Amino acid sequence: MSARTEEGRCVLTAYRKSPEETVRVAFLEPSIAMALELQEEVGFVLTGSEKDMQSALARNPQLIEEGLTVLDRELISSVGDIDLYARDSEGRFVVVELKRGKATQEAVHQLQRYVQAVQPLVPNAVRGILAAPAITHPARVQLERLQLEFKEIQALPKPEEAAAQPALF
């Protein structure tokens, strides 16, 4: 993301690679603008993007699995960028694919491709974890058939929890 001034206006530009998308927001008459960096996890409510989910889980991998240590984020592989590359408590390498919504068979295919890309590069078997709030039945069946794993991650608050969070306005 970038911010700059164009013709006296603040313009924010955000770009994502997959799917390719650019969003530009121009502030015509801003009254105030602030950029804040999250210092503590207490009271944090994830309402943003998959990238926000990735950042939160990279800081707190125990939400996926106790003893998990994140080694890299957005690890470039021959088949795409791996959301989280980690090592488990037994020293095995783990590829984690994150989905903000219900995981489908396409997410399972994606995880399988990442595991297959990493496997020749490491000495032992690579675990694959699909982490999402929910999963379709066909996707779960396919995961089990491929000996991959699903971890339910409730990173998004339930509506009543979101309403209980303090607000700025």
Side-chain angles (χ1 to χ4, degrees):
M1 180 183 280
S2 68
R4 64 173 184 246
T5 304
E6 294 178 9
E7 299 175 11
R9 294 187 175 127
C10 177
V11 177
L12 299 178
T13 304
Y15 173 78
R16 112 174 133 182
K17 292 187 286 186
S18 180
E20 190 168 328
E21 179 178 56
T22 300
V23 176
R24 288 176 39 91
V25 178
F27 293 87
L28 303 178
E29 296 180 28
S31 30
I32 188 169
M34 296 175 69
L36 305 171
E37 186 173 322
L38 185 64
Q39 297 294 318
E40 295 181 24
E41 295 294 322
V42 178
F44 174 63
V45 176
L46 179 62
T47 58
S49 66
E50 195 170 287
K51 190 73 136 176
D52 296 329
M53 181 180 184
Q54 180 190 65
S55 295
L57 292 172
R59 286 190 303 271
N60 296 292
Q62 70 277 3
L63 295 173
I64 299 169
E65 180 175 287
E66 274 305 316
L68 197 66
T69 303
V70 174
L71 304 173
D72 206 345
R73 292 171 37 186
E74 292 298 317
L75 179 67
I76 298 170
S77 79
S78 60
V79 293
D81 296 350
I82 297 169
D83 289 334
L84 297 175
Y85 183 61
R87 189 172 285 207
D88 68 15
S89 60
E90 296 178 21
R92 296 173 294 186
F93 290 101
V94 181
V95 171
V96 181
E97 175 59 22
L98 303 173
K99 294 298 174 197
R100 250 182 114 251
K102 186 178 266 191
T104 64
Q105 286 177 289
E106 179 51 41
V108 177
H109 287 301
Q110 189 175 7
L111 177 61
Q112 179 187 27
R113 288 190 305 267
Y114 293 154
V115 168
Q116 288 173 337
V118 170
Q119 187 59 70
L121 306 174
V122 299
N124 300 320
V126 176
R127 291 176 57 207
I129 297 176
L130 179 56
I135 187 168
T136 65
H137 178 71
R140 184 178 288 281
V141 169
Q142 186 177 7
L143 266 181
E144 290 171 5
R145 185 177 54 76
L146 296 170
Q147 297 182 326
L148 300 171
E149 303 168 47
F150 173 72
K151 300 290 180 161
E152 183 178 335
I153 302 295
Q154 292 296 335
L156 298 174
K158 294 181 174 117
E160 63 274 5
E161 291 171 341
Q165 295 297 319
L168 294 175
F169 304 102

